[in-house]
Amino acid sequence: MRCRALGRSGLSVSEIGYGAWGIGESAWVGATESESVRALHRAVELGVNFVDTARGYGESERIVGRVVRERSGDEVLVATKVPPKNQMWPAPEGVDPAETFPGEHIRESLETSLRVSGLDHFDVLQFHVWSDDWVGRGDWLETITTLKQEGKIRLFGVSVNDHRPDSALALVRSGAVDSVQVIYNVFDQAPADELLPACAEHGVGVIVRVPLDEGGLTGRITAGTTFPEGDWRGRYFRDDRPAQVERRVAAIAADLGVATDGIAECALRFVLSSPEVSTVIPGMRSVRNVERNTAVSDGRSLTAAQLAVLSRHRWQRNFYS
């Protein structure tokens, strides 16, 4: 497993991290705690040292904490997230930071996360939404500074609103943040326009989520794909969206000259081709997925010609809406 610097923090993170949203029975349909635990253990065995979870991810924090404690001989860095107090995703314009991340809410959420996980600190504490309107306002930064001094967190980050990499530019340039988490993939290449260069300039780590477009860039979503009742992906890939995705992926495969089942590997290598990226955190619920995704960290890169092909497949849309 190859590692990269997490911005200016001094921490070194595995370039393939572990997205822990979908683990445990309370998460995605079909997830089981036993398989999640096996997958997490296998990931650490293969060199993954960065796990991303959140207060809002069901049983995820508890399961992650359990595995980290069971692997006390391995250094595993854990990031979690504070949900907005007003429970509004994404952050709407014009909302005061006192409504989303007042100091007492940040501390209360963190204390709950520590208790649930059984950990004595988190390496990165992230706000689960962000608005640049909050830079220089509210008491959130004072609280973050105090929590760092108390040793309960090491770094501060934000999870950038879906498909809105521009919404954290002022924060990155302010010097107040250590890392940003952002959607970046073959379809949504917008972060490369301004956010990634700004992070490189200001020493901010970049955590990439949704590198496989919630499964769209795996080659397994086709016009006939359906999801079990209760699986949120049924909404993400509703109506004719699976057919749209199938056509787009087929075009990518044809242009690259690869089989559709090789698209996931190409998609991960696309993200890692950006030197500004510190780690990419695909969701992994099984040992098989862990082994396939971690195998991408082998030092091989896409060629300039392949990257040029993928740059033409930018597809700006928001399936979350």
Side-chain angles (χ1 to χ4, degrees):
M1 176 64 66
R2 297 163 66 89
C3 291
R4 301 184 178 198
L6 186 62
R8 62 175 182 270
S9 70
L11 296 183
S12 180
V13 294
S14 54
E15 63 181 13
I16 302 295
Y18 198 110
W21 174 20
I23 65 176
E25 282 87 346
S26 63
W28 290 17
V29 173
T32 66
E33 181 164 339
S34 58
E35 180 67 7
S36 296
V37 168
R38 286 194 295 271
L40 273 166
H41 274 289
R42 184 60 175 149
V44 177
E45 290 171 1
L46 293 172
V48 172
N49 78 341
F50 182 83
V51 181
D52 176 82
T53 182
R55 181 86 292 276
Y57 289 174
E59 297 298 305
S60 180
E61 285 181 328
R62 178 182 60 78
I63 296 170
V64 169
R66 168 189 165 182
V67 172
V68 170
R69 296 195 309 276
E70 289 173 352
R71 305 199 66 90
S72 57
D74 298 290
E75 182 184 26
V76 181
L77 308 176
V78 181
T80 194
K81 306 180 193 74
V82 179
K85 185 177 181 179
N86 62 3
Q87 295 293 302
M88 296 179 71
W89 278 270
E93 294 184 5
V95 174
D96 193 279
E99 299 178 44
T100 51
F101 295 109
E104 73 276 6
H105 170 69
I106 298 167
R107 180 177 289 276
E108 179 182 353
S109 178
L110 173 61
E111 295 290 356
T112 301
S113 295
L114 290 171
R115 183 175 65 255
V116 168
S117 67
L119 302 176
D120 60 9
H121 76 282
F122 282 98
D123 297 285
V124 188
L125 183 68
Q126 305 161 100
F127 290 175
H128 212 150
V129 299
W130 179 255
S131 168
D132 267 349
D133 290 343
W134 303 335
V135 174
R137 301 171 57 203
D139 62 351
W140 59 268
L141 183 55
E142 178 183 351
T143 301
I144 291 296
T145 300
T146 301
L147 292 173
K148 286 183 175 181
Q149 293 170 346
E150 293 174 358
K152 294 182 177 180
I153 65 172
R154 296 172 73 178
L155 304 175
F156 167 63
V158 300
S159 183
V160 180
N161 293 345
D162 296 339
H163 305 299
R164 284 291 312 279
D166 59 314
S167 65
L169 286 170
L171 177 66
V172 167
R173 292 164 178 160
S174 75
V177 72
D178 300 300
S179 68
V180 295
Q181 183 176 140
V182 64
I183 293 175
Y184 180 44
N185 57 48
V186 172
F187 290 149
D188 188 349
Q189 302 180 30
D193 296 339
E194 293 186 84
L195 183 64
L196 297 190
C199 287
E201 179 182 355
H202 296 278
V204 175
V206 177
I207 303 164
V208 171
R209 72 180 187 270
V210 200
L212 302 178
D213 185 43
E214 307 294 11
L217 285 163
T218 64
R220 295 194 292 272
I221 301 296
T222 67
T225 297
T226 59
F227 296 92
E229 184 177 353
D231 191 318
W232 74 273
R233 288 171 298 174
R235 181 177 182 277
Y236 188 84
F237 292 111
R238 67 180 182 269
D239 303 325
D240 69 336
R241 291 176 177 181
Q244 294 180 49
V245 169
E246 182 181 20
R247 289 194 297 270
R248 295 273 181 168
V249 169
I252 294 171
D255 284 354
L256 287 176
V258 302
T260 54
D261 63 3
I263 290 296
E265 177 184 337
C266 292
L268 290 175
R269 292 190 189 281
F270 169 81
V271 173
L272 292 175
S273 71
S274 296
E276 303 93 338
V277 171
S278 306
T279 184
V280 54
I281 53 169
M284 298 187 284
R285 294 188 293 161
S286 69
V287 170
R288 178 176 178 271
N289 286 342
V290 166
E291 293 176 344
R292 290 184 64 174
N293 290 337
T294 55
V296 174
S297 182
D298 58 6
R300 293 190 293 127
S301 303
L302 296 177
T303 66
Q306 289 172 316
L307 291 173
V309 167
L310 291 173
S311 72
R312 298 196 294 270
H313 287 275
R314 184 167 175 160
W315 180 24
Q316 200 69 33
R317 82 284 190 269
N318 187 357
F319 277 9
Y320 295 104
S321 63

